[in-house]
Amino acid sequence: MERVGVVGCGQMGAGIAEVCARAGLDVIVVEAGEAALGAGRKRLEASLARAEKKGKIDSAADVLARIRLTESLDELADRTLVVEAIVENEQVKAELFAQLDKIVTAPDAILASNTSSIPIMKLGTATGRPAQVLGIHFFNPVPVLPLVELVPSLLTADATVERARSFAQDVLGKHAILCQDRAGFVVNALLIPFILAAVRMLESGFASREDIDEGLVRGAAHPQGPLALADLIGLDTTKAVAESLYEEFKEPLYAPPPLLARMVDAGLLGRKSGRGFYTYS
Ligand code: NAI
């Protein structure tokens, strides 16, 4: 069984920590600063309380007891698998991977990133062990959505991929698909241009936000419309993934529309900030 470390306890990091602890693993979560640590703890407690209420777990307290939250990366020294889920910024992530490489001592430890779009190669080569670095890309909300994308770089060892597959499928009970190390992998390369097209429709006055979303829900059997989905993903993350896709492929369909950029500038980030295309209480 892996001893898991998670870096970042935002929407994704908290979800990843939760599914690992629910699978019986010992989890250490690192956050940056006291306020973010407190917010991460609240996020975990609220999600586990919901899971307990719905009968998905016996005891939220038992699961929480397997998760230790800290501000110190050094506590990850004995981990056999670390999953990074911090802000979608290549430089910040590469610096973190260089630090983790120095801190995590097990010679066969895997350093994984939950990045949606940053080349795994850039993170692998920030370390001295690129054969043990890969993308393990979860989906939001992590406790609910059953998919992970496994993303080896050109330098990732096959054994690393197989261990990650076994972790995702056998331990966490997720379904794993394998993707090449290209911005967006499979799901976001298809999903992000679709969301951006919806933002452009709204921006041009072509249709209202409700009609765009209802159109896809009622006309194409999507569980939620593209604008509501962007709010769930986070508009900052949506924009960052679009920028990475645009940077990689230079296709106009990946270019973030001005409305999305202005909303991010304004701090309208979707559900996590309380307001995006819709307002949340
Ligand atoms: P978020 O903004 O909710 O959380 C990021 C967290 O990382 C924050 O709590 C922040 O305080 C923390 N953080 C930043 N720098 C740190 C550092 N150096 N050390 C420790 N903690 C640090 O973002 P979210 O949505 O959880 O995204 C995180 C990653 O997951 C990004 O790479 C994103 O692309 C990826 N992702 C996001 C999905 C989504 O639907 N939001 C889906 C799949 C992947």
Side-chain angles (χ1 to χ4, degrees):
M1 288 296 244
E2 307 284 0
R3 287 189 299 278
V4 179
V6 178
V7 190
C9 197
Q11 305 194 92
M12 297 303 293
I16 295 165
E18 176 179 332
V19 294
C20 291
R22 280 169 64 167
L25 302 175
D26 167 68
V27 186
I28 297 178
V29 184
V30 183
E31 248 299 348
E34 211 175 299
L37 196 73
R41 190 187 305 277
K42 275 203 184 129
R43 188 173 275 125
L44 270 165
E45 286 171 354
S47 177
L48 284 167
R50 276 196 304 276
E52 188 185 82
K53 208 168 158 199
K54 286 187 186 157
K56 306 241 182 236
I57 52 173
D58 291 337
S59 159
D62 285 357
V63 177
L64 260 182
R66 285 194 282 276
I67 303 174
R68 185 147 54 93
L69 284 122
T70 171
E71 288 176 53
S72 165
L73 267 186
D74 291 338
E75 292 194 32
L76 299 181
D78 73 341
R79 300 291 96 181
T80 57
L81 169 67
V82 176
V83 185
E84 167 277 312
I86 66 167
V87 58
E88 187 74 344
N89 175 301
E90 184 178 313
Q91 197 186 337
V92 178
K93 284 198 198 280
E95 277 165 21
L96 176 67
F97 272 74
Q99 275 180 291
L100 288 172
D101 190 35
K102 294 200 184 82
I103 290 167
V104 178
T105 52
D108 62 347
I110 292 179
L111 304 181
S113 176
N114 185 51
T115 179
S116 307
S117 60
I118 292 166
I120 302 304
M121 183 64 83
K122 298 269 168 96
L123 306 180
T125 52
T127 75
R129 50 179 123 181
Q132 288 151 240
V133 175
L134 87 166
I136 304 183
H137 185 230
F138 290 82
F139 288 79
N140 187 14
V142 182
V144 177
L145 291 186
L147 187 71
V148 298
E149 292 175 317
L150 299 179
V151 190
S153 80
L154 291 174
L155 298 178
T156 307
D158 290 347
T160 303
V161 178
E162 284 321 305
R163 225 172 96 199
R165 187 192 295 280
S166 162
F167 164 73
Q169 296 196 158
D170 305 338
V171 179
L172 302 186
K174 301 285 187 195
H175 181 88
I177 62 173
L178 191 65
C179 321
Q180 287 194 8
D181 185 17
R182 303 275 186 282
F185 316 132
V186 169
V187 174
N188 279 327
L190 295 170
L191 185 61
I192 294 294
F194 163 67
I195 290 174
L196 299 181
V199 177
R200 282 188 209 102
M201 264 195 168
L202 180 71
E203 189 172 45
S204 67
F206 189 84
S208 70
R209 61 181 185 184
E210 288 83 4
D211 286 353
I212 292 168
D213 278 354
E214 284 301 324
L216 271 296
V217 171
R218 293 175 197 268
H222 287 208
Q224 63 193 326
L227 299 171
L229 180 57
D231 275 357
L232 176 71
I233 294 169
L235 301 194
D236 51 344
T237 301
T238 303
K239 175 169 169 272
V241 178
E243 282 167 344
S244 296
L245 282 159
Y246 186 69
E247 173 74 22
E248 181 112 314
F249 300 108
K250 304 287 186 295
E251 299 273 6
L253 80 166
Y254 295 126
L259 174 62
L260 182 65
R262 289 306 94 74
M263 289 177 77
V264 172
D265 292 343
L268 305 177
L269 306 182
R271 277 180 188 270
K272 66 182 167 188
S273 72
R275 188 174 153 202
F277 293 107
Y278 297 90
T279 301
Y280 304 87
S281 53

